[in-house]
Every structure is written in C-alpha cells, then in structure tokens.
Amino acid sequence: MVKVKLIVLGIIFLSLFYLAVLYLSLNPHVSIAYSEYYIHNKTMFYDKKVPDMLIPLGKTLTVKNLMPYFSRDGWSKPSLKTENALLFNKASLIFNIKGKSEIMTLYLQLSQIKQPVTLLFSIAGNRFEKLLFPRDKGLIILNVSNALSHQVDGVNILTISASSPISLKTLMVKES
C-alpha cells in the first residue's frame, strides 16, 4: 500500500515538474538578444551587453559595433571579423529603436563599388530601391516612419538585397 502511494506521489510530482518545464519553455522570460540568437536563431552573434538590441540614436556604428545585429543569413562571417561586412545577396540587420519622432532616418555607408548595383531595402512595411553607380560615394539615406519604435514582436528587421556583393561599413540611425 505504501509502495503504491509513493509511486502515485512520484507520478504526480513528475507530472507537475514536466508541466512547469513545458510552461517555461513556451513562455521564456529572456532578453530580446537571447531570444533572437538562441530561440529564433535569427542573429549571428549574441552580446550580453546589448540585451534589448537597442541601436543608439545619432551614433555611427561600425561593423564591430553592429556584431549583435547581423542576421545569420546573407553575411560572410569571416568578413565581419575583419570589419568588412560582405553582403552576398539578401541579409538583414535586426535591432530596436527608442525614438519619439515621426520619422527615423537610416544612414548606411557602403564600400566603393566597381559596377552598378541595385539595392532593395525593406523595413517596417516600407520598401525602398536604390541604384548605386561606381561614382557614388556609397551613402544611402532611408527615411522611415516611426513604426520602427512600435514593433509588437520587439525587433525591427532591415532586409537588404543586392544584385551583386557589397560591403557595409557603417550604420547610423537618427530621429528626423
């Protein structure tokens, strides 16, 4: 009789334990950076120093500063370590912004190109197309509505598609 009670008690205890583990796995209480890297497998790097994935407004970020924001797909990882950020075809930058103005301006500085390149950008429901020529300086300015700072899922995704490989040098986000 005692053995049966112990077995039933053990089964109840294990069932409650597994239910608690299931609940915690479906509702993790982790930072956005942790979630994007470990749970959703979207970012290439995880940085504990940037748990909310906020990009500082008005500060020019080099490739080294952008490490936690690069998506896993589309970027050459060895090029990121040499601060070159080579984009093969289609890739993303994943980040957060805390801004109060109606318009955000994204400044992207690309390396010098040798042939014309068509670039497509998509962010917060906005789509932009830019054609760069070798004589261009590689600076691209995108004005985006404040939908950036009000994302429901916690992150903004700037998707960049290029007709040929390009290198991203810097990114700056300003309130307009």
Side-chain angles (χ1 to χ4, degrees):
M1 188 69 174
V2 174
K3 283 185 178 181
V4 173
K5 286 183 181 181
L6 284 175
I7 291 173
V8 170
L9 190 61
I11 290 172
I12 291 171
F13 175 74
L14 281 175
S15 298
L16 290 174
F17 173 76
Y18 286 126
L19 283 173
V21 168
L22 179 63
Y23 173 79
L24 290 174
S25 67
L26 293 175
N27 302 302
H29 298 289
V30 295
S31 69
I32 294 170
Y34 184 95
S35 174
E36 293 301 312
Y37 182 76
Y38 287 109
I39 297 173
H40 302 297
N41 294 321
K42 287 184 182 177
T43 58
M44 194 180 303
F45 303 99
Y46 172 64
D47 188 354
K48 290 180 185 178
K49 297 174 190 166
V50 191
D52 48 10
M53 296 191 73
L54 279 175
I55 283 191
L57 295 176
K59 181 180 177 186
T60 301
L61 300 177
T62 62
V63 171
K64 186 176 183 180
N65 302 121
L66 281 171
M67 287 297 198
Y69 308 107
F70 285 107
S71 67
R72 287 186 190 245
D73 299 326
W75 301 102
S76 164
K77 194 167 187 175
S79 75
L80 295 177
K81 292 180 180 176
T82 61
E83 298 193 26
N84 198 12
L86 183 63
L87 167 72
F88 290 126
N89 182 13
K90 183 178 180 181
S92 300
L93 291 171
I94 302 167
F95 57 90
N96 263 332
I97 294 176
K98 275 201 176 164
K100 296 178 177 75
S101 70
E102 289 295 317
I103 302 288
M104 295 286 178
T105 305
L106 281 65
Y107 299 87
L108 293 103
Q109 181 67 48
L110 305 174
S111 63
Q112 195 65 32
I113 57 171
K114 295 178 175 87
Q115 63 187 21
V117 177
T118 302
L119 297 168
L120 298 171
F121 299 92
S122 175
I123 186 165
N126 299 305
R127 293 178 48 92
F128 306 92
E129 184 173 341
K130 302 282 181 178
L131 180 60
L132 286 183
F133 294 98
R135 68 179 181 273
D136 295 333
K137 301 282 186 209
L139 178 65
I140 296 174
I141 301 170
L142 304 174
N143 292 315
V144 183
S145 70
N146 72 344
L148 286 179
S149 57
H150 305 293
Q151 292 296 316
V152 176
D153 59 358
V155 293
N156 298 287
I157 300 175
L158 171 63
T159 303
I160 309 167
S161 299
S163 59
S164 63
I166 57 165
S167 292
L168 174 68
K169 289 186 163 198
T170 63
L171 170 71
M172 181 173 57
V173 181
K174 277 186 160 181
E175 290 184 290
S176 300

